[in-house]
Amino acid sequence: MIPKHFDPGRVGEIYRVSYQELAAEARSLAARHDIRPACTDERRVGLLLVDVQNTFCIPGFELFVAGRSGDGAVRDNRRLAEFIYRNLQHITRIHVTLDTHTAMQIFHEVFLVDQKGEHPAPMTAISLEDVESGRYRVNPLVADSIAQGDRESLQRHLVHYCRRLSRDGKYQLMVWPYHAMLGGIGHALVSAIEEAVFFHTVARSSQAAFEVKGKNPLTENYSVLRPEVLEGRQGPIARKNTALRDILLGYDALIVAGQAKSHCVSFTVSDLLEEIEERDPALAQKVYLLEDCTSPVVAPGVDFTEKADAAFRGFERAGMHRVLASAPMSEWGAAMEKRG
């Protein structure tokens, strides 16, 4: 049931989405195939799309997720779009996360300088030792914009932040290329996925939900459910997204896809699993990970494939399901049946 407008050859391109034409096509297809409004679903299935944005998914953009194949995110999104169209009648609602940044954030080069006053190169890992020794420090020129001019407080926060990352066993602070910049084209959804999400909205009368994450200048925010560090030196600097957590855990089945497998997808699923284990470990059985719709970060000198695969094996051991979008949902096993 792939609509006539879908062109798999254009998934790696940016183009204008023709909303009016899509809406008419979606209503026509729903009528022909007796696709009912999502509000009538007896089994509620959520689809969580993590950061399916141009900045991660279009070749040549800032943080294109190539995987080891070299075109990972493009292949992933081709399968993802087809999955959405084939399963319109089964997906109750789509949740879309949007990584959202401005220039002066703790993980961008402008935030940091070395002892010569030069900015670190993108993809530089900043260790706790680096900031404690003074090898890297806060660029004093950003203090006016994000700390009311208090340079010393911002420097103390940097040390505190790296210490918390180290203590909690998280990734070191990574200097990322400027990406997912608010208001820029890299921030937008991939055109082919935007089409599919909009098409589902009209065909099922189910408004897609959009979750913005990552705007806090003082912390990274891989997971949509929580920033990397919640507490600053003098109190909270961020909060968990408990409202979204409760919505996602309220579905009879939750399907997860997006980019990148090694970072925002894994961190989101890990945080979801932490909540599940606190409530009822059996809830993990209703989570499905579309493993052919996500790829790890692989760049010169950096390959997170093994770390990503290890994380997904851990999710599977906890009870979650690693499935393929190319396989019919009916083949995913009895666990897709409505749970009591």
Side-chain angles (χ1 to χ4, degrees):
M1 195 168 58
I2 304 297
K4 62 182 181 180
H5 73 266
F6 178 64
D7 182 354
R10 300 192 69 192
V11 172
E13 301 176 10
I14 296 173
Y15 53 86
R16 183 181 71 84
V17 174
S18 300
Y19 301 110
Q20 289 301 133
E21 292 85 348
L22 277 178
E25 185 183 358
R27 287 192 294 268
S28 175
L29 184 145
R32 292 197 312 273
H33 294 275
D34 193 26
I35 296 175
R36 300 181 180 278
C39 62
T40 66
D41 288 355
E42 293 185 4
R43 181 185 64 185
R44 299 181 67 255
V45 176
L47 174 61
L48 177 64
L49 304 184
V50 178
D51 299 358
V52 190
Q53 297 163 266
N54 292 328
T55 199
F56 303 114
C57 299
I58 299 297
F61 269 66
E62 302 86 1
L63 279 173
F64 175 61
V65 181
R68 288 180 174 173
S69 71
D71 62 352
V74 174
R75 294 185 183 187
D76 296 337
N77 286 336
R78 186 179 300 124
R79 288 185 286 261
L80 178 57
E82 292 174 347
F83 173 81
I84 293 172
Y85 291 129
R86 287 199 310 270
N87 294 286
L88 288 171
Q89 70 275 29
H90 301 305
I91 300 168
T92 304
R93 193 179 191 190
I94 299 176
H95 295 263
V96 179
T97 78
L98 294 170
D99 207 29
T100 305
H101 301 312
T102 53
M104 292 183 178
Q105 296 195 255
I106 198 168
F107 45 81
H108 282 154
E109 64 178 46
V110 71
F111 196 95
L112 302 164
V113 290
D114 63 15
Q115 294 170 329
K116 297 180 181 179
E118 298 177 351
H119 301 299
M123 307 306 292
T124 298
I126 308 295
S127 69
L128 175 59
E129 181 182 357
D130 287 335
V131 297
E132 287 184 330
S133 68
R135 181 182 180 189
Y136 289 108
R137 59 185 175 86
V138 169
N139 175 7
L141 298 179
V142 307
D144 285 344
S145 295
I146 61 177
Q148 295 78 49
D150 192 343
R151 301 175 182 181
E152 294 303 319
S153 176
L154 203 55
Q155 177 62 32
R156 289 193 293 270
H157 173 75
L158 175 64
V159 175
H160 165 82
Y161 184 81
C162 291
R163 187 172 291 138
R164 289 296 297 265
L165 291 180
S166 178
R167 187 200 72 177
D168 295 343
K170 294 180 177 288
Y171 287 132
Q172 291 180 335
L173 172 61
M174 178 68 77
V175 179
W176 295 107
Y178 297 110
H179 65 287
M181 300 295 284
L182 181 61
I185 195 169
H187 182 257
L189 280 182
V190 171
S191 300
I193 299 301
E194 184 188 5
E195 280 185 330
V197 171
F198 180 80
F199 197 92
H200 175 271
T201 290
V202 176
R204 303 280 342 259
S205 297
S206 176
Q207 177 60 59
F210 294 85
E211 295 287 338
V212 170
K213 70 179 181 69
K215 292 174 64 177
N216 192 321
L218 299 178
T219 177
E220 297 155 286
N221 203 155
Y222 297 123
S223 167
V224 70
L225 296 179
R226 58 161 291 164
E228 291 306 287
V229 173
L230 298 174
E231 295 289 333
R233 293 177 55 257
Q234 298 178 327
I237 60 171
R239 297 183 299 176
K240 292 182 178 182
N241 191 341
T242 55
L244 178 61
R245 172 201 67 193
D246 292 342
I247 290 171
L248 297 180
L249 290 178
Y251 286 110
D252 295 304
L254 176 67
I255 305 166
V256 184
Q259 302 302 337
K261 181 180 181 180
S262 51
H263 288 75
C264 296
V265 173
S266 283
F267 278 53
T268 295
V269 176
S270 179
D271 286 342
L272 188 65
L273 180 58
E274 182 178 330
E275 297 289 344
I276 284 172
E277 290 178 338
E278 289 181 4
R279 295 186 184 197
D280 178 4
L283 294 175
Q285 297 176 30
K286 65 179 180 178
V287 180
Y288 296 79
L289 309 176
L290 289 182
E291 199 154 28
D292 54 349
C293 294
T294 185
S295 292
V297 170
V298 178
V302 177
D303 187 340
F304 288 98
T305 302
E306 293 182 6
K307 193 173 185 70
D309 290 345
F312 268 52
R313 288 193 295 271
F315 300 147
E316 186 176 40
R317 286 194 298 271
M320 296 181 178
H321 308 273
R322 297 161 67 186
V323 296
L324 299 179
S326 53
M329 290 173 65
S330 60
E331 297 180 4
W332 288 3
M336 273 303 293
E337 298 176 0
K338 180 177 174 59
R339 295 171 54 79

